[in-house]
Amino acid sequence: MKVIPVPAIAGAFLFEPTPHADERGFFSRTFDADVVRSAGIDPDGFLQDSVSRSRKGVLRGMHLRSGLGEAKLVRCSWGAVFDVVVDLRPDSPTYLGKETFDLSGETQVSLYIPAGCAHGFQALTEYADVSYRIDRAHDPAEDVAIAYDDPELAIDWPLPPAFVSERDRRALPLSAVLQNTR
């Protein structure tokens, strides 16, 4: 498994597995505590695993947690997604940096997103399953949503949004979220 730092987001990493393919299909290790530890991340710090399934065009995000934030390791285990991370940590050298990723079940690449970064994705295939490994218990009172179509973020979503949750439709612009977190 290869560890690839994400230059636009300090502390973010891609974990690229080495699949073993043959006539049956493939086998791939998707998590290795020693490799995660080598990137400076405590693998024992993850407390919860979750999965979402989305239909093509579904857009989820941009989400983050207030308070201590929430670090997560995400992977598209089936299908494909267009994934976006925005660094909202004021003390980060990549503050307001943005990066996009193509994650898919074909590659099984995992993306580590540090606490304090906003995250969202759009399903590109008929169905897409995204697995999350999270370092804190979920507290709905800390949920923060930023408008996925905020011009300040200027995210070039690849498809017209097929479905957006009520929470994401009511999300605040980035400027309001930044004002509330200062």
Side-chain angles (χ1 to χ4, degrees), residues 145-162:
I146 300 168
Y148 70 91
D149 57 354
D150 186 322
E152 192 173 349
L153 289 177
I155 299 169
D156 188 17
W157 298 102
L159 302 173

Side-chain angles (χ1 to χ4, degrees), residues 1 10 30 43 71 84 94 105 132 150 170:
M1 184 175 284
T30 60
V84 182
T94 56
Y132 307 76
D150 186 322
R170 292 190 330 252

Side-chain angles (χ1 to χ4, degrees), residues 20-27:
H20 302 281
D22 61 23
E23 62 279 353
R24 299 171 295 170
F26 74 88
F27 173 86

Side-chain angles (χ1 to χ4, degrees), residues 52-63 81-84 119-124 132 146-150 153 155-169 171:
S52 68
R53 174 167 288 161
S54 302
R55 292 178 299 206
K56 186 173 186 174
V58 166
L59 199 146
R60 296 180 186 258
M62 298 294 294
H63 301 152
V81 299
F82 175 79
D83 200 279
V84 182
H119 173 249
F121 66 87
Q122 185 176 42
L124 301 177
Y132 307 76
I146 300 168
Y148 70 91
D149 57 354
D150 186 322
L153 289 177
I155 299 169
D156 188 17
W157 298 102
L159 302 173
F163 183 81
V164 177
S165 71
E166 182 62 30
R167 170 187 173 203
D168 289 339
R169 280 196 297 275

Side-chain angles (χ1 to χ4, degrees), residues 5-122:
V6 177
I9 310 289
F13 297 94
L14 290 169
F15 293 91
E16 188 176 281
T18 306
H20 302 281
D22 61 23
E23 62 279 353
R24 299 171 295 170
F26 74 88
F27 173 86
S28 184
R29 182 180 323 144
T30 60
F31 180 79
D32 185 316
D34 290 335
V35 174
V36 169
R37 194 176 288 108
S38 77
I41 302 164
D42 177 10
D44 298 326
F46 293 110
L47 303 179
Q48 177 183 324
D49 282 0
S50 301
V51 65
S52 68
R53 174 167 288 161
S54 302
R55 292 178 299 206
K56 186 173 186 174
V58 166
L59 199 146
R60 296 180 186 258
M62 298 294 294
H63 301 152
L64 71 152
R65 294 281 154 74
S66 62
L68 297 174
E70 173 185 82
K72 55 185 138 183
L73 191 61
V74 299
R75 176 174 56 88
C76 181
S77 53
W78 179 262
V81 299
F82 175 79
D83 200 279
V84 182
V85 178
V86 179
D87 188 347
L88 298 180
R89 301 167 294 169
D91 297 334
S92 170
T94 56
Y95 180 61
L96 297 179
K98 174 181 74 175
E99 188 63 75
T100 63
F101 307 89
D102 292 315
L103 302 179
S104 76
E106 288 295 313
T107 65
Q108 296 292 318
V109 169
S110 294
L111 169 63
Y112 176 76
I113 304 165
C117 293
H119 173 249
F121 66 87
Q122 185 176 42

